[in-house]
Amino acid sequence: MATLHTRASARLMMSPAVILLLIWMIVPLVLTIYYSFLDYNLLTPGAHNFIGFTNYRFFLTDPTFLISIWNTLLLVLGVLLITIIGGIALALLIDQPMHGQGIVRILVIAPFFVMPTVSALVWKNMFMNPVNGLFAWLAHLFGLQPIDWLAQVPLLSIIIIVAWGWLPFATLIILTALQSLDEEQKEAAEMDGAGIVSQFIYITLPHLARAITVVILIETIFLLSIFAEILVTTNGGPGTATTNLTYLVYSQALLQFDVGGASAGGIVAVILANIVALFLLRVVGKNLEA
Amino acid sequence: MGSIVLKNVSKVFGGHQVIPGIDLSIDEGEFVVFVGPSGCGKSTLLRLIAGLEDVSGGEILIDGRNATELPPARRGLAMVFQSYALYPHMTVRNNIGFPLKMAGESKETIDKKVGEAARVLNLTNYLDRRPGQLSGGQRQRVAIGRAIVRQPSAFLFDEPLSNLDAALRGTMRIEISELHQQLKTTMVYVTHDQVEAMTMADKIVVLNIGRIEQVGSPLDLYRSPQNLFVAGFIGSPRMNLITGEEAAKRQAATIGVRPEHVVLSKSKGEWSGTVGVSEHLGSDTLLHVDAGKLGQITVRADGEFQVRHGERVYMTPDPQRIHRFDAEGQAIR
Amino acid sequence: MARMASRRRKLTFTVIAWIIALLIFFPILWTILTSFKTEGDAVAVPPHFLFFHWTTENYTEVWSRSSYLLHFWNSVVISIGSTIIGLIIAIPAAWAMAFSPTKRTKDVLMWMLSTKMMPAVGVLVPIYLIFKNTGLLDTRTGLVIIMTLINLPIIVWMLFTYFKEIPNDILEAARMDGATLGKEILYILTPMAVPGIASTLLLNIILAWNEAFWTLNLTASNAGPLTAFIASFSAPEGLFYAKLSAASTMAIAPILVMGWFSQKQLVRGLTFGAVK
């Protein structure tokens, strides 16, 4: 048959990708679950006994756990807030007629392409350093006491650093959606008597709803796992002020070498991520069905 | 060369039978048009003949050979797509020459045949351009050139003129008909436009929901429609169909009379009504008359006939040109 | 009346936009400027913006005296290597899904994308242990494997969308013109798919180059790419900002350039087609 034989070869062509991803999904996760039930620490040799849910109990009742959840929440919400509001504002701005729009766009997009470790260190050393940093210099200029950002407002500092990196993403997505808005719709609204603000609220914003939804979904997925910026600036500190769930599990795994505990933590992270994803898809994903 | 026979060909798409079972024969050298409303299956039928879709049942014979299992390349047919489907990354020359390249012809042969096709279609000056640089009509011709160059048993056209503006459509219609005169190859042409069907075809196949309603020459279908569907589909403007008393008077469930077969008078006639919208075409005037119990009747009058909106007119249908249909919609002879 | 003020309006927006754009770009600009300063100038207060002694000594020092070259090479190998392997696996898969779709195709695609949403810490432990026990820890090979796996869904997805855009009737025309499957792929499909493949390549190199979880946790001095190398300077060691700036500038420059060319691909790739 002319078209039939392609069906069997199609399945063959898909198999490497599907098989690899299947293995990638299942094997490590199963192992993590397995380890989470063991008493296993790389520093203490000997047999690894099955200890049931003990690791989970320790992990979940550790006060650091709740702190890390709280920090994770603050980080995600903080960055989302800054990037979405900033993104809308920037997109609206860039969409206006101006000279050199192309260059403006390039300048605004750039931070997204800077690797997280570089951006974190640049902010840490050049801006937030209370002695040599630019913010300190600005503070002195206005006769104010310079803030030791990473010591006094560590979480806010991280939020700023991460938001700086993700703002271009939100801006680009929203700008793309903005530019797909039919000019004629706005003109029809104008003929119907809508002023600029009304046009924004009733025409532009609903059109952007889908793009904003996508930005929230995608960013949340990535923001739950903020890691490099924390590692390079505060190492989760001072104390546990900037420890999010990802960093907490990392520290248990690679700093304390507690395989069992970190595995339990990892599973908790996976479960929570799934809950967040389901929640988001339900509440916010409605916009995508349109 | 160029005969196509369909024996009980059927097609099922996802549990839905789109074509129940069609028998059709197309003779060598004929220009056959498949016509019908959207969704009637005419494009599907064409694609089954081409081999781009597999039949769910039945046989397709091309030049006497069973071609049902053959892939498109081996059926000896060429197709012109609605969107032209030109290869955007190749020049006109390479587009037209592509089938020959696939057949493994030598470079000299390819150049010669491409040159000939280009001459026939007035494309010689465009051979080194890309499709993106051509107008709609030129792209159409390149698509036709690509089909000609294979010297197929039959050409298949899938609504080739739909994307052109009205003036261009008129010109291309004539060009394609002339091409048919020149090459004398079988052509199977799909369109939803019954004007194209009437002007170009030797034989018209009227399709409706996957079934053949009638097969015949254009004049056959015009003069003797076998059922209500064909009667209402062929002929522009549409035939007037009247039910009720008038039809019963003539021993029929429905009678039909074409707008051009109704005589108009301001003084007397069998039917009467008030003039609604009049469409002045210059050569003719089409009057849409509200004839009360009979409904809306469209009448074609001479361009000089003066009438105003709301005026009362009288109409007499030519008794020789009244078509009668029974309760099942079939023509009563 | 609203239309006539447009020239003044344009100027106003130009000024506002440029100010904001430069503010956002400033950290990058500052880094580049600092890389050309002496260490003393780099920490000078008040800071020198443009008028200082310009020097390229930082670049020569970083380039020749540290292991920068090794880490740069690691970044190159890992990003390009994982991208090419990813493409080899993904092209047939995306192909099959785009040209022979079934009822399940969309589901398979969604499932593939969902694998990218799994938190990395969920599998950090077993991956680390497996790598340790198989000697893959701190090797470029190990990292290439991980990068390929985490980016495969995006590569497949992007290729799928590009392949889907090739009009089906052009392929049918090729079939009618006598092309076998092989010739159809060679003469029609591939030339039309090349721009899409190039775009996917570009975006994936960027994503792999900037990845900062696995590259930080699975490497040490041998296979660490630039992300890890830069991270190793997180503990301040006296005056070294200028050199750090030079190293950073070199680390981000290739990606900044690539990024400027791939904005559209970014939108397509990272929003999974939901925004056009």
Side-chain angles (χ1 to χ4, degrees):
Chain A
M1 282 264 158
T3 51
L4 230 184
H5 90 96
T6 37
R7 215 139 276 207
S9 49
R11 240 176 276 142
L12 192 66
M13 298 204 289
M14 280 172 63
S15 39
V18 172
I19 292 176
L20 273 175
L21 285 177
L22 213 60
I23 296 177
W24 169 240
M25 266 252 80
I26 297 182
V27 171
L29 212 54
V30 165
L31 282 174
T32 310
I33 296 177
Y34 171 64
Y35 288 137
S36 69
F37 294 123
L38 298 180
D39 173 16
Y40 188 165
N41 189 309
L42 287 177
L43 299 175
T44 57
H48 317 307
N49 307 318
F50 181 80
I51 53 172
F53 285 96
T54 315
N55 284 321
Y56 287 95
R57 224 173 350 111
F58 278 158
F59 189 81
L60 292 170
T61 54
D62 189 336
T64 322
F65 171 66
L66 280 174
I67 297 178
S68 75
I69 299 288
W70 181 241
N71 287 337
T72 311
L73 201 67
L74 285 177
L75 275 170
V76 172
L77 287 177
V79 175
L80 275 180
L81 213 66
I82 297 179
T83 53
I84 291 184
I85 298 180
I88 297 179
L90 271 176
L92 286 172
L93 179 63
I94 300 181
D95 194 37
Q96 301 300 320
M98 65 174 69
H99 298 287
Q101 194 186 69
I103 304 201
V104 166
R105 207 177 146 124
I106 288 176
L107 292 177
V108 167
I109 302 295
F112 187 76
F113 298 107
V114 176
M115 59 175 75
T117 47
V118 166
S119 79
L121 279 185
V122 168
W123 279 89
K124 172 179 178 177
N125 294 320
M126 302 194 193
F127 290 90
M128 296 178 166
N129 186 308
V131 176
N132 305 318
L134 279 177
F135 286 168
W137 172 71
L138 276 173
H140 280 134
L141 218 56
F142 289 104
L144 300 165
Q145 264 294 73
I147 309 175
D148 185 358
W149 290 82
L150 289 171
Q152 294 175 268
V153 281
L155 205 56
L156 179 63
S157 307
I158 306 264
I159 291 178
I160 293 176
I161 298 174
V162 176
W164 178 76
W166 279 93
L167 185 61
F169 175 76
T171 309
L172 195 54
I173 306 299
I174 297 176
L175 183 62
T176 304
L178 201 61
Q179 288 176 335
S180 75
L181 180 55
D182 202 359
E183 241 343 278
E184 290 187 347
Q185 263 197 52
K186 287 194 257 183
E187 288 172 351
E190 208 181 321
M191 303 249 2
D192 283 344
I196 297 198
V197 176
S198 297
Q199 274 180 46
F200 179 72
I201 298 177
Y202 293 106
I203 310 283
T204 314
L205 218 46
H207 180 82
L208 292 179
R210 191 184 162 102
I212 296 176
T213 303
V214 172
V215 170
I216 293 179
L217 274 172
I218 306 281
E219 280 195 12
T220 306
I221 293 168
F222 283 101
L223 293 176
L224 286 173
S225 335
I226 296 177
F227 177 72
E229 291 88 342
I230 299 175
L231 183 74
V232 154
T233 53
T234 59
N235 276 305
T240 53
T242 56
T243 304
N244 64 358
L245 190 55
T246 304
Y247 194 84
L248 183 59
V249 175
Y250 155 80
S251 69
Q252 287 214 293
L254 297 184
L255 297 180
Q256 296 166 42
F257 296 105
D258 180 0
V259 170
S263 300
I267 296 299
V268 170
V270 169
I271 295 177
L272 286 177
N274 274 309
I275 294 177
V276 170
L278 277 167
F279 171 75
L280 277 177
L281 280 174
R282 182 144 309 164
V283 170
V284 155
K286 278 185 302 198
N287 271 331
L288 286 181
E289 293 311 307
Chain B
M1 248 241 316
S3 72
I4 302 177
V5 178
L6 299 172
K7 285 193 185 167
N8 202 23
V9 167
S10 64
K11 179 66 185 171
V12 176
F13 268 132
H16 184 61
Q17 196 174 50
V18 172
I19 295 180
I22 285 196
D23 293 296
L24 183 64
S25 76
I26 298 172
D27 301 324
E28 242 185 84
E30 261 193 318
F31 195 115
V32 176
V33 176
F34 293 171
V35 73
S38 299
C40 68
K42 52 194 190 296
S43 284
T44 310
L45 203 57
L46 194 74
R47 290 165 64 84
L48 288 172
I49 296 176
L52 294 170
E53 306 275 357
D54 295 317
V55 303
S56 307
E59 284 183 346
I60 299 179
L61 302 167
I62 299 181
D63 288 330
R65 285 177 320 149
N66 187 340
T68 323
E69 306 288 317
L70 291 179
R74 303 246 297 280
R75 296 193 184 197
L77 304 170
M79 180 136 153
V80 179
F81 292 80
Q82 185 174 1
S83 66
Y84 319 136
L86 300 181
Y87 308 123
H89 55 291
M90 296 187 199
T91 58
V92 167
R93 186 191 304 275
N94 290 336
N95 258 281
I96 298 180
F98 188 73
L100 297 173
K101 183 170 169 174
M102 290 298 105
E105 301 267 11
S106 73
K107 192 170 182 311
E108 296 87 47
T109 320
I110 296 182
D111 282 339
K112 190 164 76 98
K113 292 194 180 173
V114 169
E116 271 169 32
R119 221 178 6 92
V120 168
L121 293 163
N122 274 326
L123 288 170
T124 322
N125 293 333
Y126 303 106
L127 280 174
D128 291 308
R129 297 214 194 153
R130 298 256 157 113
Q133 300 164 298
L134 300 175
S135 72
Q138 288 162 344
R139 281 184 217 169
Q140 241 267 8
R141 277 188 244 131
V142 176
I144 295 179
R146 191 175 61 185
I148 291 183
V149 101
R150 302 182 55 209
Q151 288 168 312
S153 313
F155 289 95
L156 308 175
F157 291 89
D158 191 358
E159 304 212 41
L161 305 184
S162 313
N163 293 342
L164 303 174
D165 64 62
L168 204 45
R169 233 181 287 155
T171 323
M172 290 306 299
R173 240 171 43 207
I174 298 176
E175 278 196 34
I176 294 180
S177 295
E178 277 177 355
L179 199 63
H180 180 239
Q181 296 298 337
Q182 224 184 341
L183 300 175
K184 302 208 196 315
T185 317
T186 311
M187 291 191 179
V188 184
Y189 189 101
V190 163
T191 179
H192 62 272
D193 183 337
Q194 56 101 33
V195 171
E196 273 174 38
M198 294 291 283
T199 56
M200 300 170 84
D202 292 330
K203 181 156 88 188
I204 298 182
V205 179
V206 181
L207 290 154
N208 186 27
I209 318 177
R211 280 174 225 283
I212 295 185
E213 296 282 349
Q214 189 172 350
V215 178
S217 75
L219 285 181
D220 275 345
L221 292 166
Y222 180 81
R223 290 189 187 132
S224 319
Q226 279 170 12
N227 54 53
L228 275 176
F229 182 82
V230 178
F233 191 82
I234 299 286
S236 178
R238 206 171 173 277
M239 182 190 284
N240 294 300
L241 296 169
I242 302 162
T243 55
E245 248 184 71
E246 278 305 313
K249 230 172 27 182
R250 292 171 172 82
Q251 285 92 47
T254 315
I255 55 167
V257 63
R258 296 197 183 276
E260 52 267 28
H261 297 149
V262 177
V263 178
L264 262 181
S265 155
K266 293 217 194 175
S267 45
K268 60 178 169 58
E270 209 178 311
W271 301 331
S272 79
T274 47
V275 174
V277 173
S278 1
E279 296 177 281
H280 299 281
L281 297 165
S283 54
D284 307 310
T285 300
L286 293 178
L287 299 174
H288 299 277
V289 181
D290 180 2
K293 275 190 299 158
L294 293 149
Q296 277 268 354
I297 303 217
T298 309
V299 186
R300 193 183 68 181
D302 180 71
E304 307 290 323
F305 191 86
Q306 299 277 29
V307 74
R308 277 195 313 274
H309 180 99
E311 232 183 282
R312 179 151 284 272
V313 289
Y314 295 87
M315 305 161 284
T316 311
D318 180 344
Q320 307 276 39
R321 309 296 194 106
I322 295 181
H323 304 265
R324 300 182 308 139
F325 301 93
D326 63 23
E328 275 82 50
Q330 299 300 312
I332 304 173
R333 296 267 163 239
Chain C
M1 195 178 73
R3 310 264 182 269
M4 266 192 280
S6 68
R7 205 151 45 117
R8 192 160 42 101
R9 197 177 125 122
K10 195 168 176 185
L11 211 59
T12 320
F13 277 123
T14 306
V15 171
I16 299 178
W18 274 83
I19 291 178
I20 295 187
L22 283 169
L23 277 175
I24 291 180
F25 188 71
F26 188 72
I28 301 176
L29 186 61
W30 186 246
T31 308
I32 300 177
L33 286 175
T34 309
S35 70
F36 290 110
K37 297 178 182 169
T38 62
E39 290 292 358
D41 278 337
V43 293
V45 173
H48 300 157
F49 283 96
L50 283 176
F51 300 108
F52 49 85
H53 172 63
W54 288 66
T55 167
T56 57
E57 67 190 21
N58 299 307
Y59 284 93
T60 44
E61 273 223 40
V62 171
W63 194 253
S64 59
R65 296 252 230 102
S66 68
S67 50
Y68 188 84
L69 198 53
L70 169 67
H71 299 296
F72 189 86
W73 179 243
N74 288 338
S75 279
V76 169
V77 167
I78 291 168
S79 350
I80 297 186
S82 66
T83 301
I84 294 187
I85 297 180
L87 279 174
I88 294 177
I89 301 173
I91 291 181
W95 183 287
M97 290 197 266
F99 297 121
S100 310
T102 65
K103 274 184 296 239
R104 302 263 227 84
T105 302
K106 257 279 135 94
D107 293 327
V108 173
L109 210 48
M110 286 295 120
W111 166 75
M112 282 192 183
L113 287 174
S114 74
T115 65
K116 185 138 184 71
M117 304 191 195
M118 177 176 65
V121 282
V123 296
L124 173 61
V125 168
I127 295 292
Y128 186 84
L129 287 177
I130 293 176
F131 269 44
K132 184 161 168 298
N133 296 330
T134 53
L136 281 174
L137 217 49
D138 201 21
T139 61
R140 284 193 287 258
T141 315
L143 225 45
V144 166
I145 296 176
I146 294 286
M147 288 297 123
T148 309
L149 287 172
I150 64 176
N151 285 330
L152 194 59
I154 297 199
I155 302 181
V156 171
W157 166 260
M158 284 193 70
L159 289 174
F160 173 78
T161 63
Y162 283 117
F163 287 165
K164 261 224 136 17
E165 283 173 6
I166 297 178
N168 206 24
D169 44 3
I170 294 191
L171 301 174
E172 289 181 341
R175 255 169 258 160
M176 296 275 337
D177 282 347
T180 57
L181 188 63
K183 294 197 185 150
E184 186 184 318
I185 293 177
L186 184 59
Y187 289 109
I188 309 294
L189 216 31
T190 308
M192 292 187 71
V194 160
I197 295 179
S199 303
T200 307
L201 186 110
L202 205 64
L203 185 67
N204 201 63
I205 291 181
I206 294 175
L207 290 176
W209 186 280
N210 284 348
E211 200 280 338
F213 181 83
W214 296 108
T215 55
L216 295 178
N217 290 324
L218 294 178
T219 65
S221 46
N222 281 326
L226 287 172
T227 45
F229 179 62
I230 301 279
S232 67
F233 290 104
S234 63
E237 303 164 354
L239 300 171
F240 75 126
Y241 290 162
K243 281 192 239 356
L244 180 58
S245 302
S248 300
T249 306
M250 288 195 284
I252 64 179
I255 300 302
L256 277 180
V257 171
M258 283 199 218
W260 291 345
F261 289 117
S262 62
Q263 293 173 50
K264 269 208 230 99
Q265 288 78 339
L266 193 82
V267 176
R268 182 192 287 253
L270 289 188
T271 63
F272 308 139
V275 174
K276 290 210 215 299

